[in-house]
């Protein structure tokens, strides 16, 4: 009976001896619960489901491992770079936990050969190995706890495979560097989505172009917008560094753009409403007529005074007529005579009328 019990204990070990051995080589210990690690190495392309119909893959463990890695690497970087500011620490941590670095680490320690997939994914999905690395960290956390994950990253990864000082000062964010260069030189930078599709494994793929002053500067492809824009930025920086004529073309385009922006614009239209629809009315003729009448009367008065000597009453009558501002018509109007003047005789009236008639000739 004891032998049967021992055989049952040995049976799973015999079946999975190769996996146990591989995991011991990678982590330096044997797993307590091998099921966590098996799931961590199972890519979603397997399309395996449990008894309840739920998919079995490493995506949930990948999520957990990503959080554990951020905490562990953040702790290590914080202690290693004493006195450094938050921006420097964040940038250094992101360089270690980014997909490109995790992919390299997975290849170096032998995780790539253990991933279970449909056989076609590995050549197309550039994230698969890095995702499996994160999932294994998540499995390790569930199986052995946080301290085991910390020891693995410190002694196996950072102590043997990553030089913290070198990676901290290595520039890998091509997009950030390109944006910085464009801002310093005051040139326009745009990222244009050229194509978005899915590959044969239904993984999304993006193609982006980087344009400086409207000039095609670089094109990149990747399984995310970030990755494709990084590639496009990398090629754009290479063109700027290696092709002086390209820089000349960029600044020529900038000069043309700024010249157009500095050209004077047309005068801004007046928003005040013009009241040209109002027809101006002629002024009252009374004033102008009176002035003209006065001038005419003054002239007539002068002529009367320079004529032959007449009686004083004739002059007074002419003066009264001029003062009223009216002209004598052919038919004499007795109402025009100033009643305040001394009454005139019939002979005087006829003489004044003849004098007025004579002045109109």
């Amino acid at each position: 009976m004891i032998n049967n019990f021992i055989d049952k204990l040995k049976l799973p070990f015999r079946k999975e001896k190769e996996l146990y051995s591989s995991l011991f080589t990678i982590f330096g210990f044997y797993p307590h619960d091998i099921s966590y690690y098996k799931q961590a190495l199972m890519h979603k392309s397997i399309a395996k489901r449990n008894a309840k119909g739920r998919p079995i893959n490493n995506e949930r463990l990948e999520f957990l491992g990503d959080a554990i890695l951020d905490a562990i690497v953040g702790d290590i970087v914080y202690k290693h770079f004493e006195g450094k500011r938050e921006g420097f620490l964040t940038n250094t941590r992101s360089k270690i936990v980014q997909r490109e670095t995790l992919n390299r680490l997975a290849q170096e320690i032998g995780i790539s050969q253990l991933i279970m997939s449909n056989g076609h994914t590995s050549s197309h999905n550039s994230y698969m190995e890095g995702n499996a690395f994160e999932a294994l960290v998540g499995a390790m956390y569930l199986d052995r706890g946080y301290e085991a994950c910390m020891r693995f990253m410190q002694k196996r990864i950072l102590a043997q495979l990553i030089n913290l000082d070198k990676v901290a000062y290595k520039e890998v964010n091509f997009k950030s560097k390109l944006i910085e260069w464009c801002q310093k030189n005051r040139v326009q930078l745009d990222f244009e989505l050229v194509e978005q599709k899915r590959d044969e494994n239904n993984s999304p793929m993006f193609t982006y172009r980087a344009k400086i002053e409207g000039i095609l500067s670089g094109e990149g492809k990747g399984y995310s917008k970030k990755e494709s824009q990084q590639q496009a930025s990398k090629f754009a920086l290479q063109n700027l560094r290696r092709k002086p004529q390209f820089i000349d073309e960029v600044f020529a385009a900038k000069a043309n753009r700024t010249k157009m922006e500095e050209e004077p614009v047309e005068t801004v239209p007046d928003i005040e409403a013009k009241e040209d629809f109002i027809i101006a009315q002629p002024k009252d003729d009374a004033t102008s007529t009176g002035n003209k009448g006065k001038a005419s009367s003054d002239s007539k008065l002068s002529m009367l005074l320079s004529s032959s000597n007449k009686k004083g009453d004739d002059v007074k009558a002419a003066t009264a007529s001029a003062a009223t501002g009216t002209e004598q018509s052919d038919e004499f109007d007795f109402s025009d005579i100033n009643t305040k003047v001394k009454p005139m005789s019939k002979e005087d009236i006829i003489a004044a009328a003849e004098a007025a008639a004579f002045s109109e000739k």
Side-chain angles (χ1 to χ4, degrees):
M1 183 175 179
I2 296 177
N3 292 333
N4 291 336
F5 179 74
I6 295 175
D7 290 338
K8 289 180 180 180
L9 291 176
K10 292 182 178 180
L11 183 59
F13 180 78
R14 290 171 181 172
K15 287 183 177 180
E16 299 164 345
K17 181 178 179 181
E18 184 176 348
L19 179 59
Y20 271 93
S21 177
S22 299
L23 292 176
F24 179 83
T25 303
I26 294 172
F27 300 130
F29 58 82
Y30 288 111
H32 289 163
D33 188 343
I34 193 66
S35 63
Y36 291 132
Y37 302 89
K38 290 174 67 175
Q39 185 173 347
L41 294 169
M42 188 175 298
H43 189 259
K44 63 181 179 180
S45 61
I46 294 293
K48 186 176 180 180
R49 295 182 179 274
N50 61 14
K52 296 182 179 180
R54 295 177 181 176
I56 302 175
N57 55 54
N58 61 4
E59 289 184 339
R60 284 173 52 83
L61 288 172
E62 175 194 338
F63 167 80
L64 179 61
D66 178 67
I68 300 300
L69 275 176
D70 276 348
I72 291 175
V73 175
D75 187 354
I76 294 172
V77 169
Y78 177 84
K79 294 176 181 177
H80 185 83
F81 297 101
E82 186 177 354
K84 291 293 184 180
R85 295 184 176 181
E86 182 268 344
F88 175 87
L89 300 177
T90 300
N91 192 31
T92 302
R93 181 183 62 184
S94 65
K95 292 175 184 179
I96 297 173
V97 300
Q98 68 180 346
R99 287 296 184 272
E100 290 79 4
T101 303
L102 297 183
N103 284 345
R104 289 287 305 277
L105 292 174
Q107 294 168 7
E108 290 293 329
I109 63 179
I111 293 177
S112 302
Q113 293 78 14
L114 302 178
I115 298 174
M116 293 176 283
S117 67
N118 61 11
H120 301 283
T121 308
S122 60
S123 60
H124 297 280
N125 192 337
S126 60
Y127 293 159
M128 186 176 64
E129 295 167 330
N131 293 344
F133 184 98
E134 289 181 331
L136 283 171
V137 172
M140 189 189 312
Y141 172 77
L142 295 176
D143 185 45
R144 290 201 170 236
Y146 183 85
E147 291 300 326
C149 297
M150 175 66 80
R151 287 194 300 271
F152 167 70
M153 289 300 298
Q154 283 181 322
K155 299 180 179 180
R156 182 73 174 94
I157 302 300
L158 295 177
Q160 300 180 21
L161 299 176
I162 293 180
N163 186 317
L164 273 178
D165 295 308
K166 286 186 177 181
V167 75
Y169 297 99
K170 180 182 179 182
E171 290 295 342
V172 295
N173 194 336
F174 301 110
K175 181 179 179 181
S176 177
K177 298 302 293 183
L178 181 61
I179 292 175
E180 182 181 356
W181 183 88
C182 290
Q183 289 177 345
K184 286 183 178 179
N185 292 278
R186 297 181 180 180
V187 296
Q188 290 183 345
L189 171 65
D190 298 294
F191 289 93
E192 178 183 281
L193 177 62
V194 179
E195 186 180 32
Q196 180 177 350
K197 64 179 183 180
R198 291 185 176 274
D199 64 7
E200 60 186 25
N201 295 299
N202 203 33
S203 297
M205 292 190 66
F206 301 87
T207 302
Y208 267 88
R209 286 176 181 171
K211 287 187 174 182
I212 304 176
E213 290 293 342
I215 302 171
L216 178 60
S217 308
E219 183 173 302
K221 296 182 179 181
Y223 287 90
S224 70
K225 294 180 180 179
K226 180 179 178 181
E227 182 183 8
S228 58
Q229 290 179 3
Q230 282 284 347
Q231 289 294 324
S233 300
K234 178 181 179 180
F235 292 132
L237 289 171
Q238 289 176 349
N239 287 331
L240 290 170
R241 289 180 63 88
R242 300 173 185 177
K243 299 178 180 179
Q245 68 275 14
F246 176 71
I247 296 182
D248 294 340
E249 187 178 356
V250 167
F251 281 100
K254 174 190 174 183
N256 291 333
R257 173 179 59 82
T258 54
K259 181 180 178 181
M260 293 176 62
E261 292 176 353
E262 292 173 358
E263 289 180 355
V265 298
E266 294 183 2
T267 304
V268 179
D270 187 7
I271 62 173
E272 295 295 333
K274 295 183 179 180
E275 298 181 351
D276 52 0
F277 56 87
I278 299 178
I279 302 175
Q281 298 293 325
K283 295 183 179 179
D284 188 3
D285 294 339
T287 304
S288 59
T289 304
N291 293 334
K292 292 180 180 179
K294 185 176 183 300
S296 176
S297 299
D298 291 342
S299 176
K300 293 176 182 179
L301 180 60
S302 299
M303 293 176 66
L304 288 172
L305 292 174
S306 62
S307 62
S308 58
N309 293 331
K310 296 184 181 291
K311 295 180 180 181
D313 292 340
D314 296 339
V315 175
K316 291 179 180 179
T319 304
S321 176
T324 60
T326 59
E327 295 184 3
Q328 298 292 341
S329 60
D330 291 340
E331 295 182 2
F332 191 81
D333 187 359
F334 288 94
S335 65
D336 291 336
I337 299 175
N338 192 340
T339 57
K340 294 182 181 181
V341 181
K342 184 180 180 180
M344 299 174 66
S345 64
K346 184 178 182 180
E347 289 78 11
D348 293 335
I349 293 172
I350 294 173
E354 288 178 349
F358 176 78
S359 65
E360 291 178 355
K361 293 181 179 179

